[in-house]
């Protein structure tokens, strides 16, 4: 492997997404890039989590890769979190398309790839601005109901949606994720929308045509690949396949089993962990 530290250039900047300014980091190969990639993060996962994968894309695959934080999260947080009005649908319908536009502006003429992790790929069929996407790769993205989780994880999910977490959000005006072991704090609007989708059969589909646009991936001619992980308790494979149906009959479905790739575990977050670098060529294979 190349020394990714010495062969990758990094640029930090902000780009507009409606009324918000999003904090971004761009990873550039030493030569001219051949593909422009946007990584849409999972819920509560900061852009830094993807730095090793983004560096690998730049150093070993010659791709320009954008990582960024959604509005009112991570480096994009401006002001008190309790004052935020951001929602999960703002992230999906405003911030993600703004990232696509930014990469098109910077790299006109290059194929645009989107790699969505969890929520980063979940609302793709509803988004504006998908027409220029040449390839969509969804990793652990799916339509999940809290009853879909295996036990004992389901007990934790029920506690998160019906136990102490909603009480704390009502009291504090935001989700104190660090304090309750979730990992990161989130705006209340993100939590409530996320909760509603994960406790309603059909997830966000019950709101399409009213609160949300109707799914229409047919606007895009992009190749779509959806990856489920056999050991993912957060978004089990059957939830990924539900989302695959929204992407259409041509969407390709892939099941990742840790042992087949020589790794101990993948789970919901591990596909982008540095310890699982053996998976990365599989995620972007033709």
């Amino acid at each position: 492997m190349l020394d990714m530290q010495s062969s990758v250039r990094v640029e930090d900047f902000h780009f507009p997404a409606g009324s918000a300014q999003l904090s971004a980091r761009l990873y550039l190969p030493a030569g001219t890039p051949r593909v422009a990639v946007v990584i849409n993060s999972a819920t509560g996962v900061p852009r830094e989590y993807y730095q090793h994968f983004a560096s690998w894309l730049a150093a070993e695959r010659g791709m320009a890769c954008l990582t960024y934080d959604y509005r009112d999260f991570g480096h994009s947080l401006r002001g008190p979190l309790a004052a935020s009005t951001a929602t999960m649908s703002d992230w999906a319908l405003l911030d993600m398309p703004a990232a696509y536009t930014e990469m098109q502006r910077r790299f006109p003429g290059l194929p645009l790839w989107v790699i969505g992790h969890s929520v980063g790929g979940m609302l793709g069929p509803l988004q504006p601005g998908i027409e220029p996407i040449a390839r969509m790769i969804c990793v652990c993205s799916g339509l999940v109901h809290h009853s879909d989780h295996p036990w004992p994880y389901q007990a934790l999910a029920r506690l998160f949606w019906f136990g102490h977490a909603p009480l704390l959000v009502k009291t504090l005006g935001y989700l104190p994720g660090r304090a309750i072991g979730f990992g990161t704090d989130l705006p209340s609007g993100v939590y409530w929308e996320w909760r509603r989708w994960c406790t309603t059969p059909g997830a966000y589909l019950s709101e399409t045509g009213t609160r949300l646009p109707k799914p229409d991936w047919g606007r895009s001619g992009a190749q779509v690949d959806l990856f489920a992980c056999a050991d993912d308790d957060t978004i089990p494979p059957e939830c990924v396949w539900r989302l695959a149906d929204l992407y259409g009959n041509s969407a390709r479905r892939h099941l990742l089993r840790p042992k087949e790739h020589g790794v101990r575990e993948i789970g919901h977050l591990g596909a982008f962990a540095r310890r699982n670098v053996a998976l990365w060529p599989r995620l972007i294979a033709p």
Side-chain angles (χ1 to χ4, degrees), residues 185-210:
D185 300 342
L186 293 175
S188 61
V190 170
Y191 173 80
W192 291 123
E193 196 167 43
W194 188 21
R195 179 183 185 271
R196 191 167 69 245
W197 294 345
C198 290
T199 59
T200 302
Y204 62 70
L205 292 180
S206 62
E207 301 180 4
T208 56
T210 54

Side-chain angles (χ1 to χ4, degrees), residues 85-103:
T85 61
T87 64
M88 186 167 275
S89 54
D90 288 337
W91 289 359
L93 303 180
L94 297 175
D95 297 353
M96 295 178 197
Y100 310 158
T101 297
E102 179 65 18
M103 284 299 268

Side-chain angles (χ1 to χ4, degrees), residues 84-171:
S84 172
T85 61
T87 64
M88 186 167 275
S89 54
D90 288 337
W91 289 359
L93 303 180
L94 297 175
D95 297 353
M96 295 178 197
Y100 310 158
T101 297
E102 179 65 18
M103 284 299 268
Q104 284 183 279
R105 184 187 69 81
R106 287 174 173 261
F107 302 100
L110 286 188
L112 176 64
W113 288 19
V114 176
I115 300 177
H117 186 197
S118 195
V119 72
M122 188 176 73
L123 279 84
L126 281 64
Q127 289 176 346
I130 62 172
E131 291 83 359
I133 298 174
R135 188 171 184 193
M136 183 78 186
I137 299 170
C138 301
V139 180
C140 300
S141 299
L143 302 180
V144 65
H145 184 265
H146 63 270
S147 63
D148 292 322
H149 305 295
W151 294 89
Y153 184 89
Q154 188 175 141
L156 297 175
R158 288 178 180 271
L159 184 63
F160 188 66
W161 300 131
F162 303 110
H164 62 309
L167 294 175
L168 288 169
V169 175
K170 287 181 180 178
T171 301

Side-chain angles (χ1 to χ4, degrees), residues 170-234:
K170 287 181 180 178
T171 301
L172 301 175
Y174 68 95
L175 175 70
R178 292 185 181 88
I180 64 174
F182 175 71
T184 53
D185 300 342
L186 293 175
S188 61
V190 170
Y191 173 80
W192 291 123
E193 196 167 43
W194 188 21
R195 179 183 185 271
R196 191 167 69 245
W197 294 345
C198 290
T199 59
T200 302
Y204 62 70
L205 292 180
S206 62
E207 301 180 4
T208 56
T210 54
R211 294 174 184 263
L212 298 171
K214 293 182 179 180
D216 182 17
W217 187 255
R219 293 170 289 134
S220 170
Q223 174 182 321
V224 182
D225 292 271
L226 294 99
F227 290 87
C229 296
D231 60 341
D232 185 356
D233 292 342
T234 303

